[in-house]
Amino acid sequence: MFRIGDVEIKNRVVLAPMAGVCNSAFRLTVKEFGAGLVCAEMVSDKGIVYNNEKTLNMLYIDEREKPISLQIFGGEKETLVKAAKFVDKNTNADIIDINMGCPVPKITNCDAGAKWLLDPNKIYDVVAAIVDVVEKPVTVKMRIGWDEQHIYAVENAQAVERAGGKAVAVHGRTRVQMYEGKADWNIIKQVKEAVNIPVIGNGDVKTPQDAKRMLEETGVDGVMIGRAALGNPWMIYRTVRYLETGELIPEPTPREKIDVCLLHLDRLIALKGEYIAVKEMRKHAAWYLKGIRGAAKIRNAINECETRDELAALLLQVAEEAEAQAAANAEAV
Ligand SMILES: Cc1cc2nc3c(=O)[nH]c(=O)nc-3n(C[C@H](O)[C@H](O)[C@H](O)COP(=O)(O)O)c2cc1C
């Protein structure tokens, strides 16, 4: 258990913010698998300030997701402050997070995301200005630096702390690395040693054992899991259990995986309507099906599905075939 400001996080496992993934439908599903904290996908400060309807829809939170951190991104102090104020007053998020890690040129070219990492003074300035006008705790998610020559993770985290930020999450890669190479946990450890606010470590936690190793090697307060949770929300449950009891519970059966996938699909339909949800769910379905025998052959068909019933029928077919195969294997033994 740890605290971010006055928000109690009941265990040390955090779902990473992921654009195009971490909407209410996925977050709630992950929450039900026991995440201590879930993070929402990044939302544009300008979209909020200019009342863009699509952006405002992204601020929807189901009470059952709480505690939840809502992340905003932007490259200018003025609009970030305005957007933070809006999130503070008009959403039921518990925490306001500032994105200082996004490596995509479209974002960094506007001085947003990882571009902040080049100047601890600017970080201090913007975080202090936001902290000043909101009541919810403010946090920053950052990468360790821009490139090998500009790794200011410690200075940047200290700037967040001095400015009144209540936690930092550190992804152990530079902006230039994008998602390549290995996350540098040693720098995450240096950050943890340099600040008194909670530090959440992130990058390359692929198994419950990785989570334990990160906690032990870096001393961080929490571990943030991103890609390993895609189509795999039970990764969170397995990690929570492993950290608490040392027990490594088995992966779910194909049928259980498909059941969770269908629950996720129905929640996405409730959130966005069938047409958009089914399209968005195609990529998730491919992730849920990873490792299930016989799934590869329906991948193309999934990408052509347009309705809930078509998609559900394909998924259930895979589950049934996998079950029949497992029964045949058991009989043969
Ligand atoms: C599809 C995808 C979308 C992402 N979107 C965001 C985002 O909106 N905000 C953010 O701070 N990080 C974002 N990230 C980065 C993750 O939060 C995380 O830092 C990164 O994936 C490393 O953690 P992992 O090794 O556990 O995946 C995204 C990553 C992925 C794969």
Side-chain angles (χ1 to χ4, degrees):
M1 205 259 277
F2 65 105
R3 278 176 174 278
I4 295 179
D6 56 0
V7 180
E8 199 173 282
I9 316 291
K10 75 172 196 301
N11 63 50
R12 305 169 89 187
V13 183
V14 177
L15 172 70
M18 288 185 280
V21 174
C22 292
N23 49 45
S24 177
F26 184 62
R27 294 188 312 249
L28 178 56
T29 307
V30 169
K31 185 70 179 199
E32 288 171 345
F33 277 102
L37 176 69
V38 293
C39 299
E41 57 189 329
M42 64 181 194
V43 180
S44 154
D45 62 346
K46 290 206 163 65
I48 294 174
V49 170
Y50 297 129
N51 276 317
N52 178 292
E53 194 187 334
K54 226 169 131 190
T55 308
L56 296 182
N57 286 341
M58 292 169 82
L59 302 179
Y60 172 75
I61 290 167
D62 184 309
E63 276 294 308
R64 291 170 293 172
E65 296 174 45
K66 286 162 78 69
I68 173 172
S69 166
L70 207 152
Q71 186 185 69
I72 53 176
F73 73 92
E76 287 169 35
K77 181 164 109 179
E78 199 191 332
T79 41
L80 268 174
V81 168
K82 279 188 185 158
K85 238 173 157 171
F86 184 91
V87 170
D88 195 53
K89 295 277 169 298
N90 300 289
T91 76
N92 49 350
D94 299 279
I95 295 165
I96 301 173
D97 186 54
I98 317 296
N99 180 314
M100 295 194 182
C102 183
V104 178
K106 202 174 93 184
I107 303 292
T108 57
N109 288 343
C110 304
D111 293 335
K115 194 67 184 288
W116 288 101
L117 302 175
L118 287 166
D119 191 345
N121 292 327
K122 267 182 79 178
I123 292 181
Y124 173 82
D125 191 42
V126 72
V127 174
I130 293 169
V131 166
D132 218 29
V133 298
V134 300
E135 281 174 16
K136 300 183 198 286
V138 176
T139 61
V140 171
K141 174 157 179 283
M142 55 174 65
R143 286 181 176 241
I144 54 174
W146 181 261
D147 59 18
E148 275 288 302
Q149 284 71 46
H150 301 86
I151 296 186
Y152 304 145
V154 166
E155 294 87 335
N156 289 338
Q158 285 172 332
V160 172
E161 181 172 39
R162 254 188 301 120
K166 294 289 189 273
V168 285
V170 185
H171 175 194
R173 285 190 177 80
T174 62
R175 182 264 167 179
V176 166
Q177 278 182 287
M178 304 295 277
Y179 292 91
E180 303 295 321
K182 247 182 95 180
D184 188 336
W185 291 3
N186 196 34
I187 294 178
I188 297 176
K189 179 176 184 218
Q190 289 170 24
V191 171
K192 174 59 196 167
E193 284 165 0
V195 296
N196 293 312
I197 51 176
V199 176
I200 298 165
N202 171 239
D204 295 345
V205 174
K206 296 183 193 132
T207 62
Q209 295 96 317
D210 288 340
K212 182 155 191 269
R213 203 162 49 79
M214 178 184 263
L215 288 168
E216 285 170 358
E217 288 179 13
T218 66
V220 287
D221 302 272
V223 282
M224 180 179 268
I225 298 175
R227 288 165 295 175
L230 295 173
N232 193 9
W234 45 86
M235 160 69 181
I236 301 291
Y237 177 62
R238 295 177 76 235
T239 303
V240 172
R241 272 293 275 275
Y242 185 70
L243 294 179
E244 280 172 2
T245 67
E247 183 194 1
L248 199 55
I249 43 182
E251 291 271 347
T253 63
R255 163 70 66 169
E256 286 166 333
K257 289 183 182 181
I258 298 303
D259 284 347
V260 176
C261 182
L262 291 174
L263 174 70
H264 182 176
L265 168 63
D266 287 334
R267 285 184 170 154
L268 205 54
I269 291 172
L271 193 67
K272 302 194 174 192
E274 184 173 11
Y275 182 74
I276 295 175
V278 169
K279 272 199 168 152
E280 281 191 11
M281 201 62 200
R282 293 171 184 168
K283 67 177 182 232
H284 291 281
W287 289 325
Y288 278 99
L289 289 170
K290 246 185 177 171
I292 300 183
R293 267 180 77 171
K297 67 174 194 292
I298 62 155
R299 201 142 292 162
N300 289 341
I302 282 185
N303 284 331
E304 277 160 24
C305 279
E306 299 220 323
T307 65
R308 190 239 178 236
D309 289 350
E310 280 169 356
L311 184 52
L314 279 169
L315 292 168
L316 289 167
Q317 179 196 329
V318 170
E320 271 159 30
E321 282 173 13
E323 268 177 352
Q325 183 71 48
N329 291 348
E331 233 167 68
V333 174

